[in-house]
Amino acid sequence: MHDLIHVYEPSSLSQSKVYQIKGALYRFTGKCPWARIDHPQWCFTPLAGQRRKADIKLNQNKVRHEIYEVPGMVANRKSEVMGQGIQQTLF
């Protein structure tokens, strides 16, 4: 795969980037609105074509230790992973 970039700060997360978490590719959907203010969480959705199908929520410690940005990949709602690349549908 590509050279992965380690994410150290949750403020650098973007909804248009693809992130690798424990070997699967995810899209950042935003900050969890139901999390406590003193214990924030960030929500991620797996891209289509991944083995993992469930959304995940990570706290600040998990974001700093487990998330890697995949450079060169752009995420949107219609992204699908096929083989070593990412395919995007138009409509």
Side-chain angles (χ1 to χ4, degrees):
M1 195 168 252
H2 303 283
D3 294 330
L4 301 176
I5 301 170
H6 191 79
V7 175
Y8 293 103
E9 280 299 316
S11 61
S12 66
L13 295 173
S14 171
Q15 294 183 353
S16 64
K17 296 179 182 177
V18 175
Y19 297 97
Q20 181 179 356
I21 304 169
K22 294 185 180 178
L25 298 177
Y26 287 86
R27 179 176 62 87
F28 174 63
T29 55
K31 197 169 181 181
C32 181
W34 297 285
R36 292 176 40 180
I37 293 174
D38 55 341
H39 298 291
Q41 293 179 335
W42 290 267
C43 301
F44 294 86
T45 301
L47 297 180
Q50 296 290 302
R51 280 194 108 138
R52 298 187 179 159
K53 304 296 181 197
D55 294 352
I56 59 172
K57 295 178 190 173
L58 300 177
N59 62 14
Q60 189 165 2
N61 290 335
K62 296 281 186 175
V63 168
R64 289 182 180 168
H65 293 95
E66 296 182 5
I67 296 183
Y68 296 90
E69 178 187 336
V70 182
M73 288 190 173
V74 179
N76 58 19
R77 292 186 179 266
K78 301 292 183 181
S79 296
E80 182 176 351
V81 175
M82 302 184 77
Q84 291 292 332
I86 187 168
Q87 179 181 352
Q88 296 181 358
T89 57
L90 295 174
F91 299 103

